[in-house]
Amino acid sequence: MPRRTRPAESARAVSSASAVSAAPSASPAAAASAASPGAEAGRGAAGSDSEGESSERAPGDLRRLRTEAASLRAFTEVGAGARRRDAIAAVTGAWLQRAWLGSGCQREGLALAAVGSLARSDSGPASDLDLVLLHDGRIGGKALGEIAERFWYPLWDSGVRLDHSVRTLEECRRVARDDLVAAVGMLDLRLIAGDPELVAGVRATISHDWRANARKRLPELMEAVRERHERHGELAHLIQPDLKESRGGLRDMTVIRALAAAWLADRPRGAVDEAYARLLDVRDALHLVTGRGRDRLVQQEHDAVAALLGYGDADLMLKDVTEAGRSIAYALDATSRRAGQSQRARTLRVGPRRPMLTPLGHGLSSHDGEIVLGPRTDPARDPLLLLRAARAAALAGLPIAPTTLDNLVENTPHLPKPWSPKARDIFGELLAAGDGLAGVWESLTLAGAVDQWIPAWSAIRSRPQHNPVHRHTVDRHSIQAVIEARPLLADVRRPDILLLACLLHDIGKAYGSDDHAHLGAEPAGQAVLALGYSAEEADQVAHLVRHHLTLVDLATRRDPDDPRTVEMLCEAIDDDPDTLDLLRALTEADARAAGPAAWSQWRARLVDDLVGAARRRLAAQGHGPDPHVVDPGPEEDGLPEVAAHVRAAAESVGVQVHVEDHGEGQLVEVIAPDRVGLFADTAGLLAAHGLSVRRARLATVDGLAVDRWHVESPTGARADAEAIERSMLRLLSGDRRGLTPLTRRPPRSHASPVTRALLVPDASEDSTVLELRATDRPGLLHDVGRCLASAKVSVRSAHVATYCGQAVDTVYLTEPDGAMLSPGRVAQVVGSLIDVADG
């Protein structure tokens, strides 16, 4: 690297100018302290113990000066944090430059540079100093060693922790190549004293190497970040977080800067800068409270740190820390995705490259690992588009692109309260998405969408929990309970009620009371009403919230052999078997979400024993399940009537299909002579035509099947009645090609609920009633219908519904001669249904 020499006096002038420019906001007191010779002596240069030499060479107790500079800045004033850190940087820079001058380091080809927090001007009162003595290789080893000792000794005696090194440009490149942490740190390299061209040259070379090797180093960096997060946990969910190393901590901001320095992604601004400054303020207060350079915010320091920062209590401070951690973690995720996308684009580009969009329906697409809007999609025209995007992202396990999310939140019209049935259904499917829900909900929360949907949510957002059993904040625990409920959805008749109860069960903790279950019942019910559910459904959710601790308390704290224990549980569920099933599932989901210590085999056995005893008591009292799981609506009360001309046309042609708009979907009515397999054929053709069945009611009137299917199309296309008729007539002639699309079946999720097929006893006097609960998928009803046709049973009527991606289908079956199924036949059909639904 070319070097320009300069006289020693010029070097001193440049160093002095650097001191002034590095700290324009230093206070007069701090500057005076920095400029004074220093009252406290340390050892002299080159290891001398002479008090006189120390007094002349050491410019003062740096640790004390830094603490005084920090203490001069009130923590509660607006902008005090930045001014405080500027003052610390000014004092430190001035001290180092005076030490540089006093140690006789003014040599050609020599410079002092900082990395880490000092280089970024965000040092805390007790932060380490990371310094590099740079040289161009022309100074001899012995002379260089003597120079280094003369400078390091006063620093060691100054009361601060020091990480130091002596390197040439090539040595810096080698260290950066071999040590990822060092490479990231040297990107912030900044001149303190000496030759500015030497420092500028090293920094430029390190930055060039970083960009040139980005393809290799990006995976290495991301793996190191992942391992660090696993070791230190997520700042947003910890009561005693490491402010630096945790996910969402200060070091993640350094990673974001490194990704931007590689020219792979833009550095995010705004909210993430505010979050970073907030964490720095907490770190500064922690340093002053403890008198040490600690980064872990341990519980015994919460009150003192909160008081210094001006908070009314420690929980308010922890909430802000959580919010800051969430913002930084979200920014890191988005920036790392952008970096990966840029790197792939560089690797694959051989010419103009068009975006590879995979349509997902409703104007949404997936692109390069994110959910984005299609090129002609206008959020202002679809009030449901934000919900649809959230559902698509959670189901696919992909994030919504940040610009897309901002566009959706800003431009999608707010949903009127109460929500429409369609909005309610999409929201339920979002909740039922499983593990993909957590990240999407986090992004929706940060964007402000969740507060629009559920205003009460803001009161529990980032609220800490001091119970050692809990591993998450209140809001994150609630979302985890929803996720933990997914495998249990087939255990209940109304999965949507279960998921809502999980989501809102701790809403009462916003009031800071031990009796949060009772306090949360009313706001939970109000939130459910606003989401478009009926008053009866809202009351059921409120009832579950009120009693979400009852089952586990009775099972673990009362005598299970005492009849009064079972009686108390039955009173809590109002003698309703469905509520008992919901409470059982809510209890397990809540416990599993709290942490490993909250749900064990022993506790599960106690709960199940008590639930079993309650079921036996209810059965003995005649409280059985209600087989009618679908409210058909006023237009479907009783058996449907068929006009004479429609009957004649259906019997002569073989089928009649009518389509009409119905709410936010379509109603497809199929009228045809009843036959074995008609249910399967109709369901299969609707799926093959890209239509999703939301609910259906099938009935037979005097040998004529009158089936009403409520469907929707992800593309917004209208069902084609004539095309469906033609396809059904081809099926009658034996041509099955219309069902070919059903062979392309998506893989089954490992987290899918276990399929249930249940006999509903005494539900009908002349039919056998079975209830199937299974994860919905394209072609499920077709497979169910084929299974029943293969078993040679007649479907007298059927009630089909979908809740939160979970099909809950009730079928009334008879033998071909009209007789009810025998117990052996019931077992055969139940086993076949479970097999085909799991297929």
Side-chain angles (χ1 to χ4, degrees):
M1 182 179 65
R3 290 281 299 111
R4 186 179 66 181
T5 59
R6 63 174 68 246
E9 289 301 319
S10 299
R12 291 191 188 98
V14 170
S15 298
S16 300
S18 300
V20 175
S21 62
S25 57
S27 66
S33 297
S36 66
E40 298 186 18
R43 283 190 299 175
S48 171
D49 292 327
S50 166
E51 184 175 347
E53 289 185 12
S54 297
S55 206
E56 292 177 2
R57 295 179 183 277
D61 185 340
L62 179 56
R63 181 176 179 178
R64 177 180 58 79
L65 295 174
R66 284 156 62 93
T67 301
E68 289 176 353
S71 301
L72 289 170
R73 304 294 174 176
F75 274 68
T76 56
E77 292 179 359
V78 177
R83 293 195 299 272
R84 180 174 58 253
R85 287 182 284 276
D86 283 345
I88 293 172
V91 165
T92 307
W95 192 100
L96 291 172
Q97 289 169 12
R98 185 170 180 82
W100 178 265
L101 294 173
S103 62
C105 293
Q106 300 87 330
R107 298 281 296 271
E108 296 180 0
L110 191 65
L112 178 67
V115 295
S117 60
L118 180 60
R120 297 188 298 269
S121 295
D122 59 17
S123 288
S127 293
D128 297 357
L129 294 185
D130 296 321
L131 300 176
V132 184
L133 187 61
L134 295 174
H135 65 100
D136 60 6
R138 293 182 295 172
I139 303 175
K142 182 177 180 180
L144 187 63
E146 291 175 352
I147 292 172
E149 283 191 348
R150 285 200 304 273
F151 186 73
W152 298 140
Y153 270 112
L155 273 170
W156 290 329
D157 291 337
S158 67
V160 298
R161 291 183 298 179
L162 174 65
D163 185 3
H164 62 90
S165 59
V166 180
R167 293 171 184 156
T168 63
L169 168 62
E170 288 306 317
E171 288 170 339
C172 287
R173 297 183 72 183
R174 183 171 63 252
V175 170
R177 184 172 60 250
D178 297 337
D179 186 337
L180 183 65
V181 174
V184 172
M186 278 192 279
L187 293 173
D188 295 320
L189 191 74
R190 184 170 69 87
L191 172 71
I192 296 296
D195 188 346
E197 288 190 359
L198 178 60
V199 176
V202 172
R203 176 166 178 160
T205 302
I206 295 297
S207 297
H208 176 271
D209 289 348
W210 179 253
R211 291 191 295 271
N213 296 311
R215 178 181 178 184
K216 174 184 176 182
R217 308 224 75 174
L218 180 60
E220 181 185 0
L221 176 63
M222 291 296 97
E223 179 61 21
V225 169
R226 185 191 64 78
E227 292 177 354
R228 172 167 56 82
H229 290 167
E230 286 184 353
R231 287 195 306 273
H232 296 280
E234 190 156 0
L235 186 148
H237 304 145
L238 297 170
I239 294 297
Q240 301 186 114
D242 188 312
L243 299 173
K244 184 177 182 180
E245 304 292 351
S246 298
R247 170 173 159 79
L250 298 172
R251 192 176 290 281
D252 281 348
M253 197 67 182
T254 305
V255 175
I256 291 174
R257 294 192 190 96
L259 293 173
W263 296 354
L264 293 174
D266 291 334
R267 180 193 173 309
R269 303 283 180 180
V272 69
D273 288 326
E274 295 174 4
Y276 184 63
R278 189 177 305 133
L279 290 187
L280 287 174
D281 286 346
V282 175
R283 190 271 323 266
D284 293 350
L286 180 62
H287 283 190
L288 287 182
V289 164
T290 62
R292 301 174 64 181
R294 291 177 174 175
D295 295 314
R296 183 170 295 279
L297 186 61
V298 296
Q299 196 159 1
Q300 55 264 37
E301 310 294 354
H302 286 182
D303 291 337
V305 171
L308 184 57
L309 291 168
Y311 287 97
D313 61 60
D315 279 0
L316 294 176
M317 176 196 67
L318 289 175
K319 184 172 182 178
D320 273 0
V321 169
T322 293
E323 291 286 346
R326 285 178 158 177
S327 295
I328 293 175
Y330 180 71
L332 174 64
D333 289 345
T335 306
S336 60
R337 287 198 305 274
R338 288 288 168 273
Q341 292 165 356
S342 298
Q343 190 59 56
R344 288 190 293 274
R346 288 182 183 179
T347 303
L348 298 174
R349 183 168 293 149
V350 292
R353 181 172 176 258
R354 295 182 178 180
M356 301 296 293
L357 300 177
T358 302
L360 301 174
H362 305 291
L364 299 166
S365 299
S366 65
H367 168 62
D368 215 353
E370 294 179 323
I371 301 297
V372 299
L373 294 178
R376 290 180 294 277
T377 303
D378 182 4
R381 301 181 61 181
D382 184 1
L384 301 179
L385 194 56
L386 176 57
L387 273 173
R388 296 187 196 277
R391 176 184 62 180
L395 289 173
L398 298 176
I400 305 174
T403 53
T404 296
L405 181 57
D406 291 342
N407 185 5
L408 288 169
V409 171
E410 181 178 352
N411 297 310
T412 302
H414 288 190
L415 293 167
K417 301 291 181 71
W419 285 8
S420 67
K422 186 60 191 173
R424 178 192 67 198
D425 291 346
I426 297 173
F427 185 71
E429 291 169 3
L430 167 63
L431 295 182
D435 291 336
L437 172 65
V440 173
W441 191 270
E442 181 77 0
S443 65
L444 293 169
T445 300
L446 291 172
V450 173
D451 288 349
Q452 292 178 13
W453 299 342
I454 308 174
W457 190 262
S458 61
I460 63 168
R461 176 174 165 178
S462 300
R463 190 176 187 86
Q465 302 196 86
H466 299 287
N467 188 323
V469 170
H470 280 282
R471 54 181 170 172
H472 296 305
T473 55
V474 176
D475 58 331
R476 182 63 178 84
H477 164 75
S478 300
I479 290 300
Q480 190 61 36
V482 174
I483 294 171
E484 296 290 348
R486 176 166 167 74
L488 308 173
L489 295 184
D491 294 342
V492 300
R493 190 166 295 182
R494 286 294 301 271
D496 53 340
I497 298 297
L498 171 60
L499 294 176
L500 288 169
C502 289
L503 181 70
L504 302 170
H505 75 281
D506 272 351
I507 206 79
K509 288 185 176 178
Y511 306 101
S513 170
D514 292 336
D515 196 15
H516 69 276
H518 285 271
L519 289 174
E522 182 178 351
Q526 293 172 349
V528 172
L529 280 174
L531 293 175
Y533 286 84
S534 68
E536 181 181 358
E537 292 164 328
D539 287 344
Q540 189 172 21
V541 172
H543 189 80
L544 290 168
V545 170
R546 184 178 294 109
H547 289 286
H548 76 267
L549 300 176
T550 299
L551 175 55
V552 72
D553 284 347
L554 290 174
T556 58
R557 300 181 182 180
R558 297 298 182 97
D559 183 357
D561 297 324
D562 188 337
R564 178 56 184 156
T565 303
V566 179
E567 183 181 346
M568 292 174 67
L569 177 58
C570 291
E571 290 173 356
I573 62 169
D574 293 334
D575 292 331
D576 179 32
D578 285 343
T579 302
L580 179 61
D581 292 341
L582 287 164
L583 187 59
R584 165 64 180 80
L586 173 59
T587 299
E588 180 175 346
D590 182 19
R592 289 188 181 277
W599 189 252
S600 61
Q601 291 184 352
W602 168 79
R603 184 162 293 198
R605 184 172 66 252
L606 291 177
V607 167
D608 286 337
D609 287 347
L610 182 56
V611 169
R615 286 198 180 112
R616 291 190 293 273
R617 185 178 188 276
L618 294 176
Q621 294 178 347
H623 298 292
D626 180 3
H628 302 289
V629 297
V630 180
D631 178 8
E635 80 281 1
E636 296 186 17
D637 287 342
L639 292 175
E641 296 182 1
V642 182
H645 70 283
V646 175
R647 171 182 289 274
E651 291 175 343
S652 62
V653 176
V655 65
Q656 287 282 294
V657 178
H658 304 281
V659 176
E660 63 181 62
D661 293 330
H662 192 274
E664 293 170 324
Q666 302 166 58
L667 174 62
V668 178
E669 184 178 64
V670 178
I671 302 174
D674 194 20
R675 60 179 173 84
V676 174
L678 177 62
F679 172 38
D681 288 348
T682 307
L685 284 176
L686 292 175
H689 280 252
L691 301 172
S692 300
V693 177
R694 310 308 303 173
R695 60 188 178 94
R697 189 185 184 195
L698 285 63
T700 303
V701 183
D702 298 331
L704 197 67
V706 183
D707 301 342
R708 291 174 175 171
W709 305 80
H710 294 262
V711 303
E712 68 173 6
S713 170
T715 63
R718 184 178 176 81
D720 189 333
E722 294 183 359
I724 295 173
E725 279 188 5
R726 289 194 300 270
S727 297
M728 293 197 68
L729 291 174
R730 283 197 293 268
L731 287 176
L732 281 172
S733 67
D735 184 352
R736 314 291 294 178
R737 287 177 295 176
L739 300 177
T740 301
L742 299 183
T743 60
R744 298 186 290 272
R745 182 172 301 170
R748 181 178 173 85
S749 170
H750 294 295
S752 294
V754 177
T755 299
R756 303 275 192 251
L758 312 169
L759 172 66
V760 185
D762 303 324
S764 173
E765 295 181 355
D766 54 6
S767 301
T768 300
V769 181
L770 297 181
E771 183 179 278
L772 177 70
R773 304 174 189 171
T775 302
D776 195 24
R777 56 173 170 79
L780 173 63
L781 288 176
H782 171 65
D783 290 345
V784 169
R786 281 199 312 159
C787 173
L788 297 175
S790 298
K792 294 183 171 54
V793 295
S794 297
V795 181
R796 178 182 168 186
S797 67
H799 301 264
V800 175
T802 304
Y803 301 105
C804 304
Q806 190 76 3
V808 184
D809 305 335
T810 305
V811 289
Y812 287 68
L813 306 175
T814 66
E815 297 287 3
D817 60 3
M820 297 177 68
L821 275 60
S822 66
R825 287 278 281 158
V826 169
Q828 174 192 356
V829 173
V830 165
S832 299
L833 284 175
I834 291 176
D835 288 342
V836 76
D838 281 339

